[in-house]
């Protein structure tokens, strides 16, 4: 089978022809020299690293898995060296703050790097991904002393990061957590408790690991208002500034998981481990959400990356695998890509992937504008778009990414169920993306209960106004009319949910369907922009984009109307049956 091919050409197409990177990002303070051409060169090198260094470790890493013996975690063969190479090449600090050793490049490039890394090897991608999230939380909420001491290592990748939230009794409801932190008297704290499901909790890379741990101070009130965040390193600082004594934290076990076998997902025990308060007492959840929102976007990109890698293998296999007769019954056997059902599966995956990448890039550009634009109004407007899209990208990209992995496995038939082909690994690895960093049901509730009511409903209106502006530009296209039709039920549902914002059952019953409606409209918007950007072109890329767009508008966008009917059925049929009858 072919190895992973980085989709750099498609990324360049988005930056230059569809989303106008030079006009929107290269003009921002600190980005003056970062043109789309330069971005393409960076992404070419990133793709080469992912394909050459990370993809070859994916299947072997899954087979070998991470292991724990005598309290020491061992990652699969090749992972420590690959991480060292990744750090030395500067990829961990690509978008990091230059004041602490980062390169300061736009978040847009970071998102595309993340996609290729996760497509090549999602278990590996969690190490730098969580490290970047920890750095962001510390940069926004840590004291100047903590930032000076710990940020350089995190931003360059010299140290790794991990987030320690979940406990056996406290998952989505973090107000139930029991971990404690006792003040020592010198500004430090002794943190005690057990956390589960801690990705990258430990490894054998030979560096420090900075855990951001949620715990309660002795006088903390019950619930989420009593939660504080603490920086707890694997190794305490040495007198020479290097690694000092091992902190009193240990790995109690590695979780036995369905997928991401190469990633050490740890049960972590903190036994009066020394840590330092990050941010204000009782505001730990606020600080942690800085990291979690970063990670939620990152998890959505994981879903996209896995979908791309799985689809590539399926498309290659479909062109090469001979089976069955031609439609006119004159040839046999024929490549299975000639069969309509196989084509439909491949097109569904491609229709999601290309539009999802475009939406991810657009959202990342909004993040760059929110962080760098000199006009506070422009910053606020862009930040609102990021807030709206975060649950959509996390949930829809991982749902559709998993669906694409399953369809790609299906293309292989029986071979897709055999480990050596690698397709069943994509399915297993993709499944966790729908669960961690807040299940997709939680993301959907965030959308309908928090994001849609923002600004009295004006946040969604502002987003849809952008869509309508491109519909007007493409008025001559029948695709524009179809997208305009899809906006009608979405607006109707959003208006109704806003009026029922205190009806928990109604919101819960509508949440996942509403999120998928918004996702389909957003993906349709990206397809319309890609079609308009290639109008009149006869290149293979333009021909492919137009063909896949027609498929999306004919077979995927119409789901919006069926989803609206489901939402308008209300919660009655969901809530009617007694719990004992399930």
């Amino acid at each position: 089978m072919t190895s992973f091919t980085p989709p750099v050409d498609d990324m360049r197409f988005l930056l230059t022809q569809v989303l106008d990177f030079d006009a929107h990002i290269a003009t921002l303070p600190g980005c003056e020299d970062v043109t789309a051409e330069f971005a393409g060169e960076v992404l070419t090198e990133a793709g080469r690293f992912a394909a050459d260094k990370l993809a070859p470790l994916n299947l072997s890493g899954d087979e070998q898995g991470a292991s724990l013996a005598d309290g020491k975690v061992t990652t699969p063969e090749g992972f420590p060296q690959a991480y060292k190479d990744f750090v030395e090449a500067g990829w961990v600090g690509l978008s990091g703050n230059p004041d602490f050793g980062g390169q300061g490049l736009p978040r847009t490039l970071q998102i595309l790097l993340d996609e290729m890394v996760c497509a090549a090897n999602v278990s590996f991608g969690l190490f730098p991904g969580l490290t970047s999230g920890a750095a962001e939380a510390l940069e926004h909420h840590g004291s100047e002393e903590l930032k000076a001491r710990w940020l350089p290592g995190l931003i360059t990748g010299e140290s790794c990061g991990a987030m320690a939230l979940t406990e056996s009794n406290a998952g989505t409801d973090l107000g139930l957590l029991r971990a404690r932190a006792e003040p020592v008297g010198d500004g430090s704290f002794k943190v005690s408790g057990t956390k589960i499901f801690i990705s990258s909790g430990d490894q054998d890379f030979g560096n420090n690991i900075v855990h951001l741990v949620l715990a309660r101070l002795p006088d903390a009130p019950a619930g989420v208002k009593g939660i504080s965040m603490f920086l707890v390193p694997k190794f305490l600082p040495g007198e020479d500034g290097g690694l000092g004594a091992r902190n009193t934290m240990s790995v109690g076990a590695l979780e036995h998981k369905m997928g991401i076998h190469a990633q050490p997902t740890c049960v972590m025990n903190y036994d009066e481990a020394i840590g330092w308060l990050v941010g204000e007492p009782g505001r730990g959840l606020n600080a942690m959400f800085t990291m979690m929102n970063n990670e939620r976007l990152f998890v959505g990109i994981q879903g996209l990356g896995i979908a791309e890698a799985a689809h590539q293998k399926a498309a290659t296999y479909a062109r090469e695998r001979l089976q069955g007769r031609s439609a006119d019954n004159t040839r046999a056997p024929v490549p299975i890509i000639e069969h309509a059902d196989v084509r439909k599966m491949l097109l569904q995956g491609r229709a999601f992937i290309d539009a999802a990448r475009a939406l991810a890039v657009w959202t990342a550009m909004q993040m760059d504008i929110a962080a760098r634009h000199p006009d506070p109004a422009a910053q606020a407007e862009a930040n609102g778009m990021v807030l709206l899209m975060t649950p959509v990208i996390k949930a829809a990209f991982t749902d559709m990414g998993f669906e694409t992995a399953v369809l790609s496995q299906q293309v292989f038939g029986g071979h897709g169920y055999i480990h050596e082909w690698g397709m069943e690994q994509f399915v297993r690895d993709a499944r966790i993306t729908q669960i961690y960093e807040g299940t997709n049901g939680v993301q959907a509730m965030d959308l309908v209960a928090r994001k849609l009511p923002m600004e009295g409903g004006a946040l969604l209106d502002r987003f849809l106004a952008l869509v309508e502006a491109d519909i007007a530009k493409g008025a001559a296209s029948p695709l524009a009319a179809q997208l305009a039709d899809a906006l009608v039920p979405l607006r109707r549902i959003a208006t109704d949910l806003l009026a029922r914002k205190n009806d928990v059952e109604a919101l819960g019953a509508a949440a996942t369907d509403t999120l998928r409606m918004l996702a389909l409209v957003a993906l349709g918007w990206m397809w319309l922009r890609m079609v308009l950007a290639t109008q009149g072109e006869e290149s293979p890329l333009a021909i492919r984009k137009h063909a896949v767009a027609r498929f999306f508008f004919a077979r995927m966008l119409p789901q919006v109307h069926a989803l609206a009917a489901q939402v308008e059925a209300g919660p009655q049929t969901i809530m009617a049956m007694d719990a004992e009858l399930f």
Side-chain angles (χ1 to χ4, degrees), residues 270-334:
Y270 304 92
D271 301 304
E272 296 190 342
I274 297 299
W276 292 268
L277 180 68
V278 178
E280 301 175 23
R283 298 277 292 167
L285 207 55
N286 179 61
M288 186 61 79
F289 266 110
T290 298
M291 183 174 186
M292 287 185 69
N293 285 332
N294 180 76
E295 295 305 315
R296 284 172 175 172
L297 289 168
F298 175 55
V299 171
I301 300 305
Q302 292 172 33
L304 171 60
I306 293 172
E308 173 66 46
H311 176 85
Q312 284 188 20
K313 282 197 169 187
T316 299
Y317 183 83
R319 288 192 293 266
E320 296 174 351
R321 173 70 167 173
L322 302 177
Q323 197 91 145
R325 305 186 67 84
S326 61
D328 61 5
N329 207 33
T330 61
R331 294 174 292 118
V334 295

Side-chain angles (χ1 to χ4, degrees), residues 15-137:
L15 296 177
T16 56
Q17 290 184 246
V18 181
L19 299 172
D20 202 351
F21 181 88
D22 284 350
H24 295 293
I25 305 302
T27 56
L28 294 175
C31 296
E32 293 86 354
D33 297 325
V34 187
T35 63
E37 181 180 359
F38 173 79
E41 293 172 359
V42 172
L43 294 170
T44 297
E45 291 303 313
R48 184 175 294 118
F49 188 99
D52 294 348
K53 299 281 189 177
L54 303 181
L57 299 176
N58 196 39
L59 187 63
S60 62
D62 180 70
E63 292 170 344
Q64 186 177 348
S67 60
L68 175 66
D70 300 323
K72 295 181 180 180
V73 170
T74 301
T75 56
E77 184 177 349
F79 270 57
Q81 185 60 51
Y83 185 79
K84 180 182 178 183
D85 293 342
F86 194 77
V87 170
E88 289 181 350
W91 296 120
V92 178
L94 186 74
S95 61
N97 189 335
D99 292 341
F100 299 97
Q103 298 182 48
L105 293 176
R107 181 64 64 94
T108 306
L109 272 66
Q110 182 71 55
I111 289 284
L112 293 172
L113 165 68
D114 291 343
E115 183 204 327
M116 291 188 285
V117 169
C118 291
N121 193 323
V122 71
S123 286
F124 179 92
L126 282 164
F127 292 111
L130 286 161
T131 300
S132 296
E136 187 158 341

Side-chain angles (χ1 to χ4, degrees), residues 280-520:
E280 301 175 23
R283 298 277 292 167
L285 207 55
N286 179 61
M288 186 61 79
F289 266 110
T290 298
M291 183 174 186
M292 287 185 69
N293 285 332
N294 180 76
E295 295 305 315
R296 284 172 175 172
L297 289 168
F298 175 55
V299 171
I301 300 305
Q302 292 172 33
L304 171 60
I306 293 172
E308 173 66 46
H311 176 85
Q312 284 188 20
K313 282 197 169 187
T316 299
Y317 183 83
R319 288 192 293 266
E320 296 174 351
R321 173 70 167 173
L322 302 177
Q323 197 91 145
R325 305 186 67 84
S326 61
D328 61 5
N329 207 33
T330 61
R331 294 174 292 118
V334 295
I336 63 172
I337 201 166
E338 292 194 23
H339 303 316
D341 186 60
V342 172
R343 285 192 167 225
K344 185 176 74 170
M345 291 189 286
L346 292 172
L347 281 166
Q348 184 171 328
R350 181 49 61 194
F352 156 65
I353 292 164
D354 286 6
R357 181 178 297 120
L359 184 61
V361 171
W362 179 82
T363 303
M365 289 170 62
Q366 301 308 303
M367 297 173 79
D368 286 322
I369 293 168
R372 298 174 184 262
H373 202 285
D375 182 2
Q379 291 180 1
E381 184 171 342
N383 189 58
M385 295 298 100
V386 176
L387 290 174
L388 181 66
M389 284 296 108
T390 294
V392 174
I393 288 176
K394 195 284 179 185
F397 282 25
T398 58
D399 281 345
M400 296 181 186
F402 177 74
E403 292 161 14
T404 301
V406 171
L407 289 172
S408 299
Q409 181 192 35
Q410 188 76 10
V411 169
F412 277 71
H415 292 292
Y417 204 67
I418 304 302
H419 177 69
E420 290 88 335
W421 290 88
M423 302 309 292
E424 58 88 33
Q425 182 189 344
F426 289 133
V427 173
R428 289 186 289 104
D429 286 351
R431 187 65 184 91
I432 186 56
T433 63
Q434 298 169 287
I435 298 171
Y436 61 14
E437 300 303 338
T439 66
N440 286 356
V442 169
Q443 305 306 314
M445 283 299 293
D446 176 54
L447 175 69
V448 299
R450 294 188 180 92
K451 303 303 170 55
L452 294 187
M454 289 181 70
E455 304 176 20
L459 181 61
L460 178 64
D461 288 341
R462 287 198 287 111
F463 175 77
L464 295 182
L466 297 175
V467 179
E468 288 172 327
D470 282 317
I471 289 173
K473 291 178 183 176
S477 168
L479 302 185
Q482 287 179 259
L483 187 56
D485 287 343
L487 296 188
V488 175
L490 177 59
R491 283 191 185 278
R492 187 174 70 243
I493 294 298
T495 300
D496 181 61
L497 291 179
L498 189 61
R500 305 174 72 181
K501 61 183 179 181
N502 296 319
D503 187 339
V504 176
E505 283 191 355
L507 294 180
T512 56
D513 292 333
T514 302
L515 187 144
R516 194 163 183 113
M517 288 177 68
L518 179 53
L520 287 167

